[in-house]
Amino acid sequence: MDLSSLCRTGFTLLRQIEPVIVLEQLGSTLFETALQMVVKDRSVNATYPDAHLSREGSQQKAMTDFYMVYNLIIRLVPICPALLLARLGDRGWRRAPIMVPLSGYLLSRLALLLVVVFRLPLEVMFGAAVVFGLSGGFCAYWPGVMTLASLGSTATDRSKVMMKVELLYGAAGLVGSLVSGHLFLLYSFSLEHGTILLTVSALLHLLCLIHSIFLLKVKQVPNTEPEDNCHLIPPASSEAPAEAPLGKNMVNVVLLFAAAILYNSAVGGAIEILGSFVLKEPLNWSATQVGYGNAAGFMIFLTSFVGVMVFRRCVSDVTLILIGMLSFASGIYFMSFVTATYMFYLARSLNLFALIPMPTIRSLLSQQVPASKCGITLTLLQFALKIGGLVYIPAFTKIYQGTLGWFPGFVFTLSSIITVLGMIPISIVGCRTAPRRQ
């Protein structure tokens, strides 16, 4: 292969969606570590005279209060903009759901950089979160990425392409997390901790935005094969299930909605607190350890997809979901009693398959409704999960603050219990869909 052919191949690869995924995810993981450490530093001198808290208790309350408000904004503001961008994308502006959110990513990263450099109040990040949300945020960006990836593949190769995109996302997050803590500690007499890290993060997002505007190509492969379903993950069995009566399917839909809401609340609530939990005694992590801890989360992302590929060969979707739920329930229960860093990683190792349930529930849900109702059903599920965030984010935050003095890990035990409750409707679905013996 001559040099010109190599250049053409390289330029073709450069115009695909993969560079956008890598650049954005690397930038985001750097930002997350920086935000976590900046929030910790700014909360050191927080005081709550009426709450009778220790200095560390006041710091934890300030951190969790910040993340409660910040995450509520991040989850709720993007809903309407994401819907508008999705509609714009369906009308032919395929890059809009990617370019607009990326501008929001860049502005929010620059906002934190300004907070660090000019010692601005941390509350500036609430405004940055609103700007990020109005751009569509992750709610618009990720569906836009998946749509562009699917348009560039045939129906036969689509599941493999989606898997490659998800694995690339997890791998980029893993690498970014591993280096983020080291970059945060780089500083000089004229630069604050985190300045270099946030500058690199902003540059990565700037490159990503420029790429999406000038290089990203919308490639649509003609699809000559019939689309007979809207499954997000192929069914475990090679035989298409016989269509069940509408009443039975509706009961399954309700049960799957209940399981998804319970599990999403358990996972979301626990992870909401975990970032603050590791920054207090007895763990009291540094920036480097925070990066490694975040990398462990992305390792779960990768192992969950390997688990799907392996287990799907021999178990049903329902069993797959239960394996994932049990993995999370056991790991997060162990997290309740973590008092050393090695114990944290032991607890996370039990969470190897914790990310399996949600995509599999969506796949199973799509099998319970006609293809024409699939889109609206999955959209309703996403809205239900968003509304659930209105409940579990403040609930877990206040419970954690209330139990700091006697059992800081209580929220993780509660998360484990909620996960077990979520296994009940999934088990009922399994019983209802299992083939009856003659």
Side-chain angles (χ1 to χ4, degrees), residues 23-24 26-32 34 105-106 109-110 183 195-207:
L23 289 171
E24 185 282 323
L26 286 174
S28 289
T29 50
L30 300 183
F31 170 80
E32 292 300 331
Y105 274 99
L106 177 60
R109 279 46 177 168
L110 289 174
L183 287 176
T195 303
I196 295 175
L197 175 63
L198 286 166
T199 301
V200 173
S201 176
L203 286 174
L204 287 170
H205 280 99
L206 178 60
L207 288 173

Side-chain angles (χ1 to χ4, degrees), residues 16-298:
Q16 296 180 2
I17 192 63
E18 284 79 2
V20 172
I21 297 170
V22 173
L23 289 171
E24 185 282 323
Q25 185 61 358
L26 286 174
S28 289
T29 50
L30 300 183
F31 170 80
E32 292 300 331
T33 298
L35 180 62
Q36 201 169 343
M37 297 308 299
V38 170
V39 171
K40 177 187 178 182
D41 292 343
R42 295 296 181 88
S43 302
V44 168
N45 297 320
T47 56
Y48 296 89
D50 297 336
H52 305 291
L53 294 172
S54 64
R55 181 177 179 179
E56 185 180 66
S58 297
Q59 182 186 26
Q60 285 285 299
K61 178 174 170 56
M63 291 175 63
T64 51
D65 280 344
F66 170 83
Y67 272 112
M68 177 178 68
V69 177
Y70 183 81
N71 286 327
L72 283 172
I73 296 172
I74 290 292
R75 282 168 171 79
L76 297 177
V77 174
I79 294 176
C80 290
L83 291 174
L84 292 174
L85 286 169
R87 187 174 180 83
L88 194 62
D90 289 340
R91 290 185 173 183
W93 297 79
R94 293 296 183 185
R95 292 187 298 172
I98 298 175
M99 292 188 298
V100 177
L102 285 176
S103 66
Y105 274 99
L106 177 60
L107 291 173
S108 64
R109 279 46 177 168
L110 289 174
L112 185 57
L113 179 60
L114 294 176
V115 167
V116 171
V117 172
F118 296 107
R119 303 294 297 177
L120 300 176
L122 192 58
E123 287 74 17
V124 169
M125 292 309 299
F126 295 149
V130 172
V131 172
F132 174 76
L134 291 175
S135 73
F138 189 79
C139 291
Y141 165 76
W142 193 243
V145 166
M146 299 300 272
T147 299
L148 218 57
S150 65
L151 288 174
S153 62
T154 62
T156 303
D157 297 332
R158 192 153 297 161
S159 61
K160 294 179 181 179
V161 171
M162 295 300 187
M163 183 66 70
K164 184 179 76 170
V165 168
E166 298 273 12
L167 288 174
L168 190 61
Y169 177 85
L174 177 64
V175 173
S177 296
L178 288 173
V179 303
S180 62
H182 297 284
L183 287 176
F184 183 85
L185 295 176
L186 294 177
Y187 75 103
S188 66
F189 290 110
S190 59
L191 296 175
E192 294 280 348
H193 279 296
T195 303
I196 295 175
L197 175 63
L198 286 166
T199 301
V200 173
S201 176
L203 286 174
L204 287 170
H205 280 99
L206 178 60
L207 288 173
C208 189
L209 180 60
I210 292 173
H211 179 281
S212 67
I213 295 172
F214 297 106
L215 292 176
L216 183 60
K217 181 179 180 181
V218 178
K219 178 184 177 183
Q220 186 158 356
V221 175
N223 184 19
T224 58
E225 303 172 22
E227 294 277 359
D228 57 354
N229 57 54
C230 59
H231 300 168
L232 303 180
I233 298 177
S237 172
S238 59
E239 298 180 3
E243 189 169 347
L246 181 61
K248 179 179 178 179
N249 281 350
M250 286 306 298
V251 173
N252 288 344
V253 167
V254 172
L255 290 169
L256 289 170
F257 263 67
I261 292 170
L262 286 170
Y263 187 66
N264 187 70
S265 299
V267 175
I271 300 303
E272 171 84 10
I273 299 302
L274 191 58
S276 300
F277 178 79
V278 298
L279 296 178
K280 64 177 286 296
E281 294 291 350
L283 298 182
N284 196 23
W285 278 2
S286 65
T288 303
Q289 290 172 312
V290 167
Y292 291 160
N294 292 339
F298 282 103

Side-chain angles (χ1 to χ4, degrees), residues 1 3-14 16:
M1 184 179 290
L3 183 60
S4 61
S5 297
L6 284 173
C7 291
R8 282 196 299 270
T9 303
F11 186 70
T12 301
L13 292 174
L14 193 62
Q16 296 180 2

